[in-house]
Amino acid sequence: YTGSFDTLIDFIKNGNLVLVKRINNTPLELQDQYSEQDLIKRGYIIFDTIYTNVQDSIFKDVKDFNADNIKYIPFTHPKEVIKMEAGFIDRSNIKMPVFVAKAPKTKYLQDLDPGLIKKDKVIDLQVGSMNEPIRDGNWE
């Protein structure tokens, strides 16, 4: 995780994903005779590692994708930046990475009547948490 859009954008443009393909060439008559570890040692099961560019892999089907624009809340004028933070929390003596990204309701609803924005049912949009190791969001 990162709290920096510059780091995230650079990763999208220049970073690689590691894809591991498991190839099983075990003859049927041997599949029940050996454990998976034995089949790996004997060379029947092999792993092929492939590196693929993040942008070309994840965003290949997104029309007119521009990594430089991911930090902006869509349709805001002037462009408003999503608030992002990352760090670590301790859970049972395990250091766990956390992140949060937020779009305040006053920004993503800026063209609406301010009275409507203040209603309790309208919330800031958020994914992740700095207090819990979650990656869920609060939008429907």
Side-chain angles (χ1 to χ4, degrees):
Y1 299 137
T2 181
S4 162
F5 274 109
D6 291 339
T7 301
L8 180 59
I9 291 167
D10 180 65
F11 176 69
I12 291 170
K13 289 179 174 180
N14 304 306
N16 289 311
L17 297 175
V18 179
L19 305 175
V20 180
K21 182 177 181 182
R22 179 181 180 271
I23 304 167
N24 188 344
N25 295 314
T26 308
L28 288 175
E29 63 271 8
L30 297 179
Q31 288 182 2
D32 294 333
Q33 295 181 21
Y34 298 101
S35 70
E36 183 174 33
Q37 288 302 318
D38 285 336
L39 293 171
I40 292 169
K41 287 178 186 175
R42 292 171 183 263
Y44 290 113
I45 297 175
I46 59 173
F47 297 91
D48 187 14
T49 305
I50 301 167
Y51 298 89
T52 182
N53 177 267
V54 173
Q55 184 164 324
D56 294 342
S57 180
I58 296 176
F59 301 101
K60 67 180 177 194
D61 295 328
V62 179
K63 186 179 178 185
D64 300 325
F65 177 76
N66 181 346
D68 294 317
N69 290 332
I70 65 165
K71 63 183 171 184
Y72 299 115
I73 300 170
F75 310 110
T76 56
H77 306 287
K79 291 182 178 181
E80 297 286 345
V81 176
I82 295 168
K83 296 176 181 180
M84 190 166 69
E85 188 178 352
F88 292 90
I89 59 172
D90 183 57
R91 287 289 185 266
S92 302
N93 293 321
I94 298 173
K95 199 173 183 181
M96 302 191 76
V98 292
F99 81 100
V100 67
K102 294 180 184 179
K105 63 185 176 183
T106 56
K107 302 300 181 188
Y108 75 85
L109 298 174
Q110 70 183 15
D111 292 336
L112 296 181
D113 179 342
L116 294 173
I117 296 172
K118 292 181 181 180
K119 293 192 182 277
D120 291 337
K121 292 184 180 183
V122 179
I123 57 174
D124 295 343
L125 295 179
Q126 176 176 320
V127 62
S129 169
M130 291 304 293
N131 302 314
E132 297 294 328
I134 60 172
R135 294 177 291 190
D136 295 341
N138 67 348
W139 58 91
E140 293 181 14

